[in-house]
Amino acid sequence: MGLTRKHFTVVFLCLCFTVFLLLISVSSSSSPQGQMETAASSLEHDNGVHCSRERSRAAWKIIDEYLMPFVEKERYKISSRCRLHPENDLYRDQEQHKMHVDINEWRCGYCKKTFYEEKYLDKHFDNRHYDLLNVSHSRCLADVCGALHCDLVLDSAPHKTRCNPAAIGRNKHLCESLADSCFPVSEGPSALHLNEFFLRQFCDAHTCSGGRKPFSKGGKREISTLHVVISVLVLMLLALFYIFMYLYRRGIKRGSQGLKHISKSGQKKRS
């Protein structure tokens, strides 16, 4: 009898464990995190693409914030031969197919699957949509990170490192070549102005002396903040002008009414 109870206990525990595994598998397949297709733990496809998505994203963030607003202001059209052109970013199409629905919800624009974090969506792109990368024409934007100071965007608190003159020289040379290829001075005043701007904004900071800082000309945030401040000041001035005009007209009306009252009282006394 004791042996039968022991067998029953073992069978019961095995059944409980099996049910537990089934519940885990069902919950993982129905939850957004489960739709990651185990992307976080699976091996990436060896598609022959060796380009850092993170650094490419940092490079594009810098281009979008610290270069494009000034290019648009000059109404200059960047040539597709320029390495900073959006079409030359290997991951641009995939980045545009990211949908940030909520704080903890990212959605793939290709297949509509959802993920808790952006890094899992990146894994999903690598595993499921790597065939959509335009490897024949696009280039790795991360390759110009040295010229664009990507480390300032990637590091929330940059740590001081010993300056390497050789690395600084290579990055400055790359930066100057980007300025000349993207904004050839022979193409007119706008290109000349943007060429000089690019040198001041990015290239001058490649020095061990520490005299110049990157993005010294400002960026999208600074421009938008300035516009907001100017707009608020204009609205305040308009409000003050209308208040002044209202009080001024009101004062004139009161004055005219007072004169009428005085004239009427004078006429009564004479009569």
Side-chain angles (χ1 to χ4, degrees), residues 19-37:
V19 171
F20 177 72
L21 290 178
L22 287 172
L23 288 173
I24 290 177
S25 62
V26 170
S27 63
S28 63
S29 62
S30 60
S31 65
Q33 192 76 16
Q35 292 179 356
M36 295 170 192
E37 308 157 16

Side-chain angles (χ1 to χ4, degrees), residues 8 55 85 139 178:
F8 177 78
R55 292 184 70 80
H85 192 280
R139 304 180 69 178
L178 286 173

Side-chain angles (χ1 to χ4, degrees), residues 199-211:
L199 294 174
R200 304 292 87 78
Q201 181 82 318
F202 301 102
C203 304
D204 285 355
H206 289 294
T207 174
C208 287
S209 64

Side-chain angles (χ1 to χ4, degrees), residues 16-84:
C16 290
F17 184 71
T18 305
V19 171
F20 177 72
L21 290 178
L22 287 172
L23 288 173
I24 290 177
S25 62
V26 170
S27 63
S28 63
S29 62
S30 60
S31 65
Q33 192 76 16
Q35 292 179 356
M36 295 170 192
E37 308 157 16
T38 62
S41 59
S42 62
L43 294 174
E44 293 185 14
H45 283 272
D46 187 11
N47 48 34
V49 177
H50 302 286
C51 178
S52 169
R53 185 186 294 272
E54 183 183 14
R55 292 184 70 80
S56 294
R57 185 160 50 233
W60 179 253
K61 183 179 179 181
I62 291 171
I63 293 169
D64 184 53
E65 186 169 335
Y66 296 104
L67 176 62
M68 286 305 177
F70 301 93
V71 174
E72 292 170 1
K73 187 177 179 181
E74 289 286 340
R75 297 181 180 178
Y76 183 82
K77 188 175 181 180
I78 296 180
S79 169
S80 59
R81 296 189 300 272
C82 172
R83 295 183 66 177
L84 307 181

Side-chain angles (χ1 to χ4, degrees), residues 250-269:
R250 191 175 178 183
I252 291 176
K253 286 182 180 180
R254 284 185 175 180
S256 61
Q257 289 176 356
L259 289 173
K260 288 180 180 178
H261 181 72
I262 293 170
S263 62
K264 286 180 180 180
S265 61
Q267 289 175 1
K268 287 179 180 179
K269 286 181 181 180

Side-chain angles (χ1 to χ4, degrees), residues 115-237:
F115 306 88
Y116 281 144
E117 295 183 50
E118 186 180 13
K119 64 180 179 180
Y120 296 125
L121 179 54
D122 288 341
K123 289 284 186 178
H124 170 76
F125 282 146
D126 292 336
N127 291 333
R128 297 295 179 183
H129 302 299
Y130 64 94
D131 56 321
L132 298 177
L133 293 176
N134 188 2
V135 295
S136 59
H137 294 90
S138 301
R139 304 180 69 178
C140 182
L141 199 58
D143 292 342
V144 298
C145 256
L148 299 178
H149 309 277
C150 289
D151 290 335
L152 294 179
V153 174
L154 293 169
D155 296 337
S156 57
H159 51 276
K160 290 186 177 181
T161 57
R162 196 170 183 179
C163 185
N164 185 340
I168 289 293
R170 288 194 299 270
N171 288 333
K172 187 167 187 176
H173 177 73
L174 175 59
C175 187
E176 291 172 346
S177 67
L178 286 173
D180 293 335
S181 61
C182 295
F183 311 107
V185 294
S186 59
E187 289 190 356
S190 294
L192 175 61
H193 183 262
L194 287 170
N195 186 290
E196 294 175 351
F197 163 81
F198 194 90
L199 294 174
R200 304 292 87 78
Q201 181 82 318
F202 301 102
C203 304
D204 285 355
H206 289 294
T207 174
C208 287
S209 64
R212 284 267 187 176
K213 291 185 178 181
F215 324 134
S216 59
K217 297 294 183 178
K220 184 185 295 184
R221 292 176 184 173
E222 288 82 356
I223 292 174
S224 61
T225 304
L226 181 62
H227 287 170
V228 170
V229 172
I230 292 174
S231 300
V232 170
L233 289 174
V234 170
L235 290 173
M236 289 176 64
L237 289 173

Side-chain angles (χ1 to χ4, degrees), residues 87-104:
E87 292 180 359
N88 294 326
D89 179 11
L90 182 65
Y91 298 114
R92 182 76 347 237
D93 186 69
Q94 288 190 352
E95 290 293 318
Q96 290 175 340
H97 278 81
K98 284 182 176 179
M99 302 168 67
H100 195 183
V101 182
D102 204 348
I103 297 177
N104 294 321

